[in-house]
Amino acid sequence: MGIDPRQIVAGVLTLTMFLMLANMIKRDHFDAPISHHHVNHVAQPFDDSDQTLSNTAGDAPWKEETLGLKPCWSNPPSEDIDESKGFVTFSLTNGPEYHVSQIADAVVVARYLKASLVIPDIRGTHPGDWRNFGDIYDIEKFVNSLDGVVKVVKTQPSELSSKNLAVIRVPNRVTQDYIAENIEPVFQTKGNVRLATYFPSVNMKKIKTEQDDNRNSIGCLAMYGVLELQPDVQEVVDSMVDRLKTLSRKSDGQFVAVDLRLDMLDKKGCQGDDAGSKKCYSPQEIALFLRKLGFDKDTAIYLTQSRWDSSLDALKDLFPKSYTKEGIMPMDKKSKFLESEYEKVIDFYISSQSDVFVPAISGLFYANVAGKRIASGKTQILVPANIPPASSASVANYVSHYVSKKNHMAYSCFC
């Protein structure tokens, strides 16, 4: 008895739909809240027999920028900040993706306690790696943005010492209830507190809350309205973005930024989990993903990897215009800015300004870059996947759920 051709077609269609559904589920895992220590995954090998390196759905990979959103929070009511009593101190740690969250929590706490906020220092990942806030960020912008919200003190008062300064661990996106129960009693006893923000999970999704609008306004302002780079650092970022646009002349000056750091790929968080979810992608996987979406060989790609490594050659084979920061940074800036803390800042702000952003690694960098991009209208954020052979590769299928579902907290702050 012969096989009905219609059964064969139906079987192929069913398999294709199943593979597409599997990829959508994996993207949900990529965007899902994850533990602070669970950030990456070792890449799985590609099927070398798959030679379909084109956008079979026919839509262009580049997308016109939408107009930037406007802040939809109301300015928090001014308070008599000169009457502030006591101080809140803290340090910025781990890189700019953490800085924005640490600042937001500190401002919310200081406002609730009616305390003065001491401008933080910046601590690097290595012992003794310390710098002033003004080495990276614009102090005057920070102070002026918080005028009437909290009193900001530029230097730590001499009367503060370890004897009258209680250190309190604060969960990211701290709530008023947590402040009232865990921070305010200590503050009333000691008169001053030092905050250390920790991240129970990496979660920048909107949260339904019964907190009052005043608290949300303060959180939005602190998260998106107070940090700007100081002029020297901004100049380096601008020059590198201009260089990438020049290298992208055949793409109308558009370029892709990929957060791909090789040191992260071997870490435990990159090993996936029992559900087979994928948190990171290798250079080869990113290369084939971009080609399948229709990006051609003339596309300029910026990588957050610090220095070129031979494992990146698989990406450069398909995209010859792939660069790490050392390849496009002005020569006279390298001695100062090719250094750990500055490199992280440069990566964060270039990834926020690129025409397309691809997070090869799931985590807070991806989440907070997404927030800045949503606010500025740069919503072309593509979450990678291993696209099955012979399946369609529409760009729309790989847009971050932060954007497609509008579930990032930035959508609570901008409209």
Side-chain angles (χ1 to χ4, degrees):
M1 179 177 178
I3 299 176
D4 188 339
R6 290 175 295 180
Q7 291 178 310
I8 297 175
V9 172
V12 170
L13 289 174
T14 300
L15 177 60
T16 300
M17 290 176 65
F18 175 79
L19 291 170
M20 290 178 66
L21 178 60
N23 268 321
M24 290 175 67
I25 292 172
K26 287 181 179 179
R27 278 203 307 129
D28 275 325
H29 280 289
F30 196 94
D31 287 339
I34 61 175
S35 163
H36 170 54
H37 298 291
H38 183 72
V39 290
N40 291 298
H41 174 105
V42 169
Q44 299 297 319
F46 272 92
D47 179 358
D48 292 335
S49 64
D50 177 20
Q51 299 298 321
T52 308
L53 297 179
S54 62
N55 180 345
T56 55
D59 55 345
W62 302 106
K63 172 186 171 184
E64 288 187 12
E65 271 183 43
T66 58
L67 292 176
L69 302 178
K70 296 181 179 180
C72 54
W73 70 81
S74 56
N75 289 330
S78 295
E79 293 190 346
D80 187 3
I81 58 178
D82 290 332
E83 296 298 319
S84 297
K85 294 182 179 179
F87 297 93
V88 169
T89 73
F90 67 112
S91 292
L92 300 180
T93 60
N94 297 319
E97 68 270 32
Y98 290 86
H99 297 174
V100 291
S101 296
Q102 291 162 344
I103 283 174
D105 290 328
V107 170
V108 167
V109 170
R111 170 79 173 199
Y112 183 93
L113 298 176
K114 295 181 171 57
S116 296
L117 184 69
V118 180
I119 284 186
D121 58 4
I122 300 174
R123 307 287 177 92
T125 53
H126 305 292
D129 189 0
W130 173 94
R131 40 184 58 74
N132 291 314
F133 182 86
D135 291 340
I136 292 178
Y137 298 112
D138 187 325
I139 292 179
E140 296 308 317
K141 165 67 178 179
F142 183 78
V143 173
N144 293 337
S145 298
L146 292 173
D147 184 35
V149 179
V150 295
K151 182 178 181 180
V152 178
V153 179
K154 293 184 179 180
T155 57
Q156 183 161 307
S158 58
E159 63 264 29
L160 285 183
S161 69
S162 58
K163 293 182 179 179
N164 62 0
L165 194 60
V167 179
I168 301 178
R169 296 181 75 239
V170 179
N172 179 225
R173 303 179 75 174
V174 64
T175 64
Q176 286 189 2
D177 288 343
Y178 188 93
I179 298 171
E181 293 174 12
N182 299 280
I183 303 177
E184 188 173 26
V186 178
F187 179 76
Q188 289 175 343
T189 300
K190 285 281 190 177
N192 309 288
V193 292
R194 179 171 178 80
L195 307 181
T197 298
Y198 69 96
F199 293 77
S201 67
V202 176
N203 180 14
M204 287 298 128
K205 292 185 177 181
K206 288 194 294 187
I207 297 176
K208 292 182 179 180
T209 176
E210 295 180 359
Q211 300 283 345
D212 60 55
D213 291 338
N214 180 35
R215 188 269 177 196
N216 290 338
S217 295
I218 295 166
C220 288
L221 170 65
M223 192 84 177
Y224 298 110
V226 303
L227 272 189
E228 286 184 3
L229 296 178
Q230 61 101 319
D232 287 347
V233 183
Q234 186 65 58
E235 180 185 349
V236 174
V237 171
D238 291 343
S239 68
M240 293 173 69
V241 169
D242 289 343
R243 175 68 174 148
L244 287 162
K245 289 182 178 296
T246 299
L247 292 165
S248 306
R249 285 191 297 267
K250 292 185 178 179
S251 303
D252 295 326
Q254 297 175 303
F255 70 95
V256 178
V258 179
D259 179 30
L260 195 162
R261 290 160 282 154
L262 297 175
D263 63 310
M264 303 295 287
L265 297 181
D266 292 329
K267 293 190 176 180
K268 183 178 179 181
C270 257
Q271 308 306 314
D273 56 29
D274 294 339
S277 65
K278 198 164 176 62
K279 298 296 182 185
C280 334
Y281 290 82
S282 71
Q284 185 184 25
E285 290 175 309
I286 293 297
L288 293 179
F289 171 70
L290 291 173
R291 282 298 296 272
K292 281 199 170 188
L293 292 186
F295 291 94
D296 63 36
K297 65 181 181 62
D298 290 314
T299 301
I301 297 178
Y302 175 80
L303 302 171
T304 58
Q305 168 66 19
S306 292
R307 305 290 186 275
W308 193 265
D309 184 90
S310 59
S311 62
L312 298 174
D313 291 346
L315 179 61
K316 202 172 187 71
D317 287 344
L318 290 183
F319 296 96
K321 295 180 179 179
S322 295
Y323 305 94
T324 57
K325 59 188 68 61
E326 64 179 342
I328 58 171
M329 184 180 289
M331 188 64 67
D332 62 333
K333 303 294 185 182
K334 289 185 178 181
S335 61
K336 177 177 180 179
F337 292 102
L338 278 182
E339 183 274 328
S340 177
E341 208 60 36
Y342 285 117
E343 288 186 37
K344 293 177 184 177
V345 171
I346 289 167
D347 288 338
F348 186 81
Y349 282 85
I350 290 181
S351 296
S352 300
Q353 294 179 38
S354 62
D355 299 280
V356 175
F357 174 57
V358 178
I361 304 165
S362 178
L364 195 63
F365 187 96
Y366 159 46
N368 275 338
V369 165
K372 285 187 68 66
R373 294 182 66 91
I374 289 166
S376 63
K378 293 181 177 292
T379 55
Q380 192 76 326
I381 305 169
L382 304 180
V383 172
N386 291 340
I387 301 173
S391 66
S392 64
S394 171
V395 169
N397 290 338
Y398 301 95
V399 172
S400 167
H401 286 166
Y402 280 141
V403 173
S404 62
K405 295 183 177 182
K406 293 189 174 182
N407 63 8
H408 195 283
M409 69 165 291
Y411 286 108
S412 299
C413 298
F414 294 91
C415 49

